[in-house]
Amino acid sequence: MKGVRSYGFPAQDERKIAEGYDVPEGVYIRGRYDQEFAKILIKDALQFVADLQREFRNRIKYAMECRREAKRRYNEGALPGFDPATRYIREGDWTCAPPPSAVADQRVEITGPVERKMIINALNSGAKVLMADFEDALSPSWENLMRGYVNLKDAVDGTITFHDKARNRVYKLNDQTTKLFVRPRGWQLPEAHIFIDGEPATGCLVDFGLYFYHNYATFRRNQGAGFGPFFYLPKMEHSREAKIWNYIFERAEKMAGIERGSIRATVLTETLPAVFQMNEILYELRDHSVGLNCGRWDYIFSYVKTFEAHPDRLLPDRVLVGMTQHFMRSYSDLLIWTCHRRGVHAMCGMAAQIPIRDDPEANEAALELVRMDKLREVRAGHDGTWAAHPGLIQACMEVFTNNMGNAPNQIQSMKREDAANITEEDLLQRPRGVRTLEGLRLNTRVGIQYVAAWLTGSGSVPLYNLMEDAATAEIIELDGDGLGVKVTPELFGRVVEEEMARIEREVGKEKFKKGMYKEACKIFTRQCRARTLDDFLTLDAYNNIVVHFPRGNSRL
Ligand SMILES: CC(=O)SCCNC(=O)CCNC(=O)[C@H](O)C(C)(C)COP(=O)(O)OP(=O)(O)OC[C@H]1O[C@@H](n2cnc3c(N)ncnc32)[C@H](O)[C@@H]1OP(=O)(O)O
Ligand SMILES: O=CC(=O)O
Ligand SMILES: [Mg+2]
């Protein structure tokens, strides 16, 4: 992991007394003690996480080094493409294990951060699946993460409730609830509040390990009809990363004494290199896969990042980079063909529109955009889609149901053989469209406001009537050149200054003063001006939300 320092830790017994947690040898908790958190951070659960960390850390480090090496090649002018060495997998005749009946029907999946009220609302929403998110939609502060693990345990137990004191409203689960998938963080994020053998733990191993340990038995009994738990796996770039997940699943199944193939996961195809690895990723996870998903927002971001040193591939204004651009349509078509050929679900992504409460006309227009997006997806052959808000479930469900009939999915009926010939050129075709100064201004406003929200604990926010999360915001910082006028540092500086003034007017002086807008602006401008892009927008910002107990240097 980048920039890991060594820390002078107190002795094991002192730590136990100081922090209240009873930890296994080599594990050090640097997050706030809380009685509720301690129920999650029990010694055996932490031992499981530590075992995963010790067994897989070298493979993870190697996989991250391979990412950097591939990036170096793209920066020198190379293009991503299909790997000749794994042609036998792409051309081979194999299928994944059949989807368990509990998740045969995934036609609408609601997504949201692992926040208590939202989990209850989502489980009651009428969607088929809830994708509970530790990733794009969550700012991974210690408090958010730990509450997330508590909330998910209560949700799986079926005991989750929430009292909204201000509205005197009590939330609890309906008799019928959606199936739960959990998305751990990507490989790249460390967990700076849990140290294992002197290094920060890998964030996704903490998310996966703690959730799995506490919930696998109840989940399989109540939710999975003998299968599960179910996961979404984000931001992979190569099948070697899927292979690590497969080992982790096998290791977890062994620890739990459950059948191999019990755990199932959908992989987000949301990086450009991964689109050339879809068969290989499914192959590695063939006993544990339930499909692939078009994580379209990170995918766009990944296109930008992969080609940061290719000025001829700069994207147009992001409103123009929709699913009908040739490279995006090719990606989604190839994903459908690949998934259906291998017998698993081809899920599509998120329309960013959310309901607009105070303007019925604008609300109807937003809903219509969502309906059109879903119609295109279901007609293309997708088996299900994502919705960011409970107010969109009905519209998405209607479109999918009206077009899929009574079948739970289209795996057998929509083979999309025509997509078999999609080429590297199709997947990389330069997007068409203009870049405008207004686009740069909007990106700046949204980027700064998103980072400001993230720094204060909100990983997904409504901005200008759209859902913004880490994936949508990442696209923003990168798109500031080619406007007809050259975007010089001076022009960019002026834009930032003027947009900060506009944000202050829009949110009001009081909120602006209390919020983290200035810090966000610093992070945003530093990243926009850097010679090379950070791997992810939130990596730099992460140091700002690390709060160590006992207090000390919190920078990684
Ligand atoms: C690119 C990607 O990775 S997409 C996946 C990751 N991103 C996400 O999951 C974003 C999910 N969506 C959200 O976080 C939210 O919808 C937001 C932040 C965009 C908007 O949230 P709000 O401002 O609370 O919306 P709004 O005020 O309209 O909410 C109305 C009600 O719906 C609930 N709600 C809104 N979105 C969700 C959701 N995704 N899941 C469950 N409940 C939700 C609210 O909690 C609120 O409940 P209440 O009436 O009981 O108080
Ligand atoms: O995770 C989803 C995306 O679009 O990014
Ligand atoms: Mg994403």
Side-chain angles (χ1 to χ4, degrees), residues 125-153:
S125 68
K128 298 290 178 188
V129 166
L130 158 61
M131 194 280 288
D133 201 8
F134 286 100
E135 218 242 348
D136 288 336
L138 190 81
S139 167
S141 64
W142 178 247
E143 306 293 317
N144 281 351
L145 290 167
M146 291 310 305
R147 286 203 199 101
Y149 307 134
V150 171
N151 295 340
L152 288 180
K153 182 166 174 358

mmCIF file of all heavy atoms in Angstrom, residues 125-153:
data_model
loop_
_atom_site.group_PDB
_atom_site.id
_atom_site.type_symbol
_atom_site.label_atom_id
_atom_site.label_comp_id
_atom_site.label_asym_id
_atom_site.label_seq_id
_atom_site.Cartn_x
_atom_site.Cartn_y
_atom_site.Cartn_z
ATOM 1 N N SER A 125 -38.753 -1.343 -0.243
ATOM 2 C CA SER A 125 -39.087 -0.519 -1.420
ATOM 3 C C SER A 125 -39.835 -1.244 -2.527
ATOM 4 O O SER A 125 -40.356 -0.612 -3.434
ATOM 5 C CB SER A 125 -37.789 0.048 -2.025
ATOM 6 O OG SER A 125 -37.027 -1.020 -2.586
ATOM 7 N N GLY A 126 -39.878 -2.568 -2.478
ATOM 8 C CA GLY A 126 -40.526 -3.307 -3.570
ATOM 9 C C GLY A 126 -39.550 -3.694 -4.670
ATOM 10 O O GLY A 126 -39.917 -4.391 -5.612
ATOM 11 N N ALA A 127 -38.296 -3.233 -4.557
ATOM 12 C CA ALA A 127 -37.274 -3.687 -5.511
ATOM 13 C C ALA A 127 -36.995 -5.168 -5.247
ATOM 14 O O ALA A 127 -37.353 -5.697 -4.201
ATOM 15 C CB ALA A 127 -36.002 -2.865 -5.323
ATOM 16 N N LYS A 128 -36.348 -5.821 -6.194
ATOM 17 C CA LYS A 128 -36.022 -7.244 -5.996
ATOM 18 C C LYS A 128 -34.770 -7.412 -5.157
ATOM 19 O O LYS A 128 -34.600 -8.402 -4.459
ATOM 20 C CB LYS A 128 -35.816 -7.932 -7.357
ATOM 21 C CG LYS A 128 -37.042 -7.922 -8.244
ATOM 22 C CD LYS A 128 -38.124 -8.833 -7.705
ATOM 23 C CE LYS A 128 -39.358 -8.777 -8.579
ATOM 24 N NZ LYS A 128 -40.500 -9.501 -7.980
ATOM 25 N N VAL A 129 -33.863 -6.450 -5.275
ATOM 26 C CA VAL A 129 -32.565 -6.542 -4.583
ATOM 27 C C VAL A 129 -32.217 -5.179 -3.997
ATOM 28 O O VAL A 129 -32.537 -4.141 -4.587
ATOM 29 C CB VAL A 129 -31.450 -6.967 -5.590
ATOM 30 C CG1 VAL A 129 -30.055 -6.743 -5.024
ATOM 31 C CG2 VAL A 129 -31.617 -8.431 -6.021
ATOM 32 N N LEU A 130 -31.569 -5.189 -2.844
ATOM 33 C CA LEU A 130 -30.905 -3.986 -2.341
ATOM 34 C C LEU A 130 -29.397 -4.208 -2.441
ATOM 35 O O LEU A 130 -28.882 -5.200 -1.923
ATOM 36 C CB LEU A 130 -31.267 -3.733 -0.877
ATOM 37 C CG LEU A 130 -30.276 -2.850 -0.088
ATOM 38 C CD1 LEU A 130 -30.170 -1.458 -0.689
ATOM 39 C CD2 LEU A 130 -30.674 -2.750 1.373
ATOM 40 N N MET A 131 -28.716 -3.311 -3.116
ATOM 41 C CA MET A 131 -27.256 -3.333 -3.110
ATOM 42 C C MET A 131 -26.813 -2.334 -2.038
ATOM 43 O O MET A 131 -26.851 -1.124 -2.242
ATOM 44 C CB MET A 131 -26.714 -2.953 -4.495
ATOM 45 C CG MET A 131 -25.246 -3.271 -4.707
ATOM 46 S SD MET A 131 -24.140 -2.076 -3.981
ATOM 47 C CE MET A 131 -24.318 -0.682 -5.043
ATOM 48 N N ALA A 132 -26.465 -2.853 -0.865
ATOM 49 C CA ALA A 132 -26.087 -1.998 0.270
ATOM 50 C C ALA A 132 -24.604 -1.675 0.138
ATOM 51 O O ALA A 132 -23.774 -2.569 0.038
ATOM 52 C CB ALA A 132 -26.379 -2.720 1.575
ATOM 53 N N ASP A 133 -24.294 -0.395 0.176
ATOM 54 C CA ASP A 133 -23.026 0.053 -0.385
ATOM 55 C C ASP A 133 -22.030 0.589 0.640
ATOM 56 O O ASP A 133 -22.294 1.562 1.353
ATOM 57 C CB ASP A 133 -23.333 1.165 -1.406
ATOM 58 C CG ASP A 133 -22.201 1.345 -2.401
ATOM 59 O OD1 ASP A 133 -21.280 0.528 -2.400
ATOM 60 O OD2 ASP A 133 -22.273 2.302 -3.198
ATOM 61 N N PHE A 134 -20.852 -0.042 0.679
ATOM 62 C CA PHE A 134 -19.704 0.522 1.408
ATOM 63 C C PHE A 134 -18.797 1.277 0.437
ATOM 64 O O PHE A 134 -17.709 1.687 0.822
ATOM 65 C CB PHE A 134 -18.888 -0.601 2.069
ATOM 66 C CG PHE A 134 -19.551 -1.191 3.284
ATOM 67 C CD1 PHE A 134 -20.238 -2.388 3.211
ATOM 68 C CD2 PHE A 134 -19.507 -0.540 4.501
ATOM 69 C CE1 PHE A 134 -20.851 -2.941 4.326
ATOM 70 C CE2 PHE A 134 -20.114 -1.072 5.631
ATOM 71 C CZ PHE A 134 -20.788 -2.281 5.548
ATOM 72 N N GLU A 135 -19.229 1.406 -0.795
ATOM 73 C CA GLU A 135 -18.310 1.897 -1.821
ATOM 74 C C GLU A 135 -18.710 3.280 -2.344
ATOM 75 O O GLU A 135 -18.749 4.228 -1.584
ATOM 76 C CB GLU A 135 -18.240 0.840 -2.937
ATOM 77 C CG GLU A 135 -16.828 0.707 -3.491
ATOM 78 C CD GLU A 135 -16.764 1.070 -4.938
ATOM 79 O OE1 GLU A 135 -17.815 1.212 -5.564
ATOM 80 O OE2 GLU A 135 -15.644 1.221 -5.455
ATOM 81 N N ASP A 136 -19.083 3.382 -3.649
ATOM 82 C CA ASP A 136 -19.320 4.714 -4.225
ATOM 83 C C ASP A 136 -20.250 5.599 -3.377
ATOM 84 O O ASP A 136 -20.109 6.813 -3.364
ATOM 85 C CB ASP A 136 -19.948 4.582 -5.617
ATOM 86 C CG ASP A 136 -18.969 4.089 -6.666
ATOM 87 O OD1 ASP A 136 -17.759 4.271 -6.477
ATOM 88 O OD2 ASP A 136 -19.427 3.507 -7.667
ATOM 89 N N ALA A 137 -21.233 4.986 -2.714
ATOM 90 C CA ALA A 137 -22.254 5.788 -2.032
ATOM 91 C C ALA A 137 -21.901 6.100 -0.585
ATOM 92 O O ALA A 137 -22.682 6.752 0.109
ATOM 93 C CB ALA A 137 -23.608 5.061 -2.077
ATOM 94 N N LEU A 138 -20.750 5.623 -0.103
ATOM 95 C CA LEU A 138 -20.437 5.806 1.315
ATOM 96 C C LEU A 138 -19.122 6.538 1.511
ATOM 97 O O LEU A 138 -18.117 6.195 0.895
ATOM 98 C CB LEU A 138 -20.347 4.448 2.031
ATOM 99 C CG LEU A 138 -20.273 4.556 3.556
ATOM 100 C CD1 LEU A 138 -21.659 4.760 4.150
ATOM 101 C CD2 LEU A 138 -19.606 3.348 4.190
ATOM 102 N N SER A 139 -19.138 7.516 2.403
ATOM 103 C CA SER A 139 -17.893 8.120 2.856
ATOM 104 C C SER A 139 -17.376 7.227 3.991
ATOM 105 O O SER A 139 -18.026 7.116 5.036
ATOM 106 C CB SER A 139 -18.185 9.538 3.351
ATOM 107 O OG SER A 139 -17.089 10.036 4.051
ATOM 108 N N PRO A 140 -16.224 6.556 3.795
ATOM 109 C CA PRO A 140 -15.859 5.474 4.722
ATOM 110 C C PRO A 140 -15.194 5.951 6.013
ATOM 111 O O PRO A 140 -14.073 5.555 6.346
ATOM 112 C CB PRO A 140 -14.904 4.610 3.886
ATOM 113 C CG PRO A 140 -14.254 5.585 2.954
ATOM 114 C CD PRO A 140 -15.258 6.670 2.684
ATOM 115 N N SER A 141 -15.891 6.819 6.752
ATOM 116 C CA SER A 141 -15.388 7.200 8.071
ATOM 117 C C SER A 141 -15.598 6.011 9.008
ATOM 118 O O SER A 141 -16.420 5.125 8.729
ATOM 119 C CB SER A 141 -16.160 8.413 8.588
ATOM 120 O OG SER A 141 -17.516 8.053 8.780
ATOM 121 N N TRP A 142 -14.881 6.010 10.105
ATOM 122 C CA TRP A 142 -15.014 4.918 11.087
ATOM 123 C C TRP A 142 -16.464 4.793 11.538
ATOM 124 O O TRP A 142 -17.014 3.695 11.615
ATOM 125 C CB TRP A 142 -14.089 5.233 12.270
ATOM 126 C CG TRP A 142 -14.131 4.242 13.400
ATOM 127 C CD1 TRP A 142 -14.608 4.466 14.657
ATOM 128 C CD2 TRP A 142 -13.651 2.890 13.378
ATOM 129 N NE1 TRP A 142 -14.454 3.341 15.422
ATOM 130 C CE2 TRP A 142 -13.858 2.359 14.664
ATOM 131 C CE3 TRP A 142 -13.065 2.080 12.410
ATOM 132 C CZ2 TRP A 142 -13.514 1.055 15.005
ATOM 133 C CZ3 TRP A 142 -12.715 0.783 12.743
ATOM 134 C CH2 TRP A 142 -12.938 0.280 14.019
ATOM 135 N N GLU A 143 -17.075 5.952 11.815
ATOM 136 C CA GLU A 143 -18.457 5.923 12.325
ATOM 137 C C GLU A 143 -19.395 5.337 11.272
ATOM 138 O O GLU A 143 -20.238 4.494 11.574
ATOM 139 C CB GLU A 143 -18.918 7.336 12.708
ATOM 140 C CG GLU A 143 -17.994 8.066 13.673
ATOM 141 C CD GLU A 143 -17.951 7.432 15.062
ATOM 142 O OE1 GLU A 143 -19.022 7.064 15.564
ATOM 143 O OE2 GLU A 143 -16.841 7.316 15.638
ATOM 144 N N ASN A 144 -19.264 5.786 10.027
ATOM 145 C CA ASN A 144 -20.152 5.279 8.965
ATOM 146 C C ASN A 144 -19.971 3.774 8.758
ATOM 147 O O ASN A 144 -20.945 3.037 8.573
ATOM 148 C CB ASN A 144 -19.872 5.994 7.638
ATOM 149 C CG ASN A 144 -20.510 7.367 7.577
ATOM 150 O OD1 ASN A 144 -21.295 7.725 8.451
ATOM 151 N ND2 ASN A 144 -20.186 8.136 6.556
ATOM 152 N N LEU A 145 -18.719 3.350 8.753
ATOM 153 C CA LEU A 145 -18.462 1.928 8.502
ATOM 154 C C LEU A 145 -19.011 1.072 9.631
ATOM 155 O O LEU A 145 -19.739 0.098 9.402
ATOM 156 C CB LEU A 145 -16.953 1.669 8.396
ATOM 157 C CG LEU A 145 -16.267 2.229 7.154
ATOM 158 C CD1 LEU A 145 -14.754 2.187 7.337
ATOM 159 C CD2 LEU A 145 -16.662 1.432 5.921
ATOM 160 N N MET A 146 -18.667 1.454 10.864
ATOM 161 C CA MET A 146 -19.063 0.609 11.993
ATOM 162 C C MET A 146 -20.574 0.564 12.140
ATOM 163 O O MET A 146 -21.156 -0.492 12.372
ATOM 164 C CB MET A 146 -18.412 1.119 13.290
ATOM 165 C CG MET A 146 -16.910 0.925 13.354
ATOM 166 S SD MET A 146 -16.364 -0.750 12.957
ATOM 167 C CE MET A 146 -17.301 -1.723 14.098
ATOM 168 N N ARG A 147 -21.204 1.743 11.948
ATOM 169 C CA ARG A 147 -22.681 1.734 11.999
ATOM 170 C C ARG A 147 -23.226 0.878 10.867
ATOM 171 O O ARG A 147 -24.223 0.197 11.011
ATOM 172 C CB ARG A 147 -23.227 3.152 11.902
ATOM 173 C CG ARG A 147 -23.010 3.903 13.179
ATOM 174 C CD ARG A 147 -23.989 5.056 13.341
ATOM 175 N NE ARG A 147 -23.424 5.948 14.322
ATOM 176 C CZ ARG A 147 -22.803 7.076 14.029
ATOM 177 N NH1 ARG A 147 -22.735 7.489 12.770
ATOM 178 N NH2 ARG A 147 -22.291 7.812 14.973
ATOM 179 N N GLY A 148 -22.561 0.925 9.721
ATOM 180 C CA GLY A 148 -22.995 0.113 8.578
ATOM 181 C C GLY A 148 -22.989 -1.368 8.914
ATOM 182 O O GLY A 148 -23.938 -2.088 8.607
ATOM 183 N N TYR A 149 -21.909 -1.833 9.581
ATOM 184 C CA TYR A 149 -21.857 -3.272 9.932
ATOM 185 C C TYR A 149 -22.972 -3.608 10.930
ATOM 186 O O TYR A 149 -23.610 -4.661 10.827
ATOM 187 C CB TYR A 149 -20.501 -3.661 10.539
ATOM 188 C CG TYR A 149 -19.289 -3.272 9.700
ATOM 189 C CD1 TYR A 149 -18.179 -2.655 10.267
ATOM 190 C CD2 TYR A 149 -19.245 -3.520 8.334
ATOM 191 C CE1 TYR A 149 -17.074 -2.295 9.514
ATOM 192 C CE2 TYR A 149 -18.144 -3.159 7.563
ATOM 193 C CZ TYR A 149 -17.067 -2.533 8.159
ATOM 194 O OH TYR A 149 -15.981 -2.171 7.408
ATOM 195 N N VAL A 150 -23.194 -2.707 11.898
ATOM 196 C CA VAL A 150 -24.268 -2.937 12.887
ATOM 197 C C VAL A 150 -25.619 -2.978 12.160
ATOM 198 O O VAL A 150 -26.441 -3.881 12.375
ATOM 199 C CB VAL A 150 -24.265 -1.813 13.961
ATOM 200 C CG1 VAL A 150 -25.500 -1.908 14.856
ATOM 201 C CG2 VAL A 150 -22.991 -1.848 14.785
ATOM 202 N N ASN A 151 -25.839 -2.001 11.267
ATOM 203 C CA ASN A 151 -27.124 -1.926 10.561
ATOM 204 C C ASN A 151 -27.380 -3.180 9.733
ATOM 205 O O ASN A 151 -28.502 -3.708 9.710
ATOM 206 C CB ASN A 151 -27.155 -0.708 9.628
ATOM 207 C CG ASN A 151 -27.086 0.599 10.395
ATOM 208 O OD1 ASN A 151 -27.379 0.632 11.592
ATOM 209 N ND2 ASN A 151 -26.685 1.669 9.724
ATOM 210 N N LEU A 152 -26.358 -3.642 9.058
ATOM 211 C CA LEU A 152 -26.548 -4.829 8.205
ATOM 212 C C LEU A 152 -26.821 -6.062 9.052
ATOM 213 O O LEU A 152 -27.638 -6.908 8.687
ATOM 214 C CB LEU A 152 -25.326 -5.055 7.310
ATOM 215 C CG LEU A 152 -25.162 -4.052 6.169
ATOM 216 C CD1 LEU A 152 -23.920 -4.381 5.344
ATOM 217 C CD2 LEU A 152 -26.385 -4.032 5.254
ATOM 218 N N LYS A 153 -26.160 -6.153 10.189
ATOM 219 C CA LYS A 153 -26.412 -7.321 11.053
ATOM 220 C C LYS A 153 -27.872 -7.293 11.523
ATOM 221 O O LYS A 153 -28.577 -8.307 11.472
ATOM 222 C CB LYS A 153 -25.453 -7.314 12.250
ATOM 223 C CG LYS A 153 -25.636 -8.531 13.153
ATOM 224 C CD LYS A 153 -24.479 -8.681 14.099
ATOM 225 C CE LYS A 153 -24.649 -9.796 15.138
ATOM 226 N NZ LYS A 153 -25.872 -10.549 15.149
#
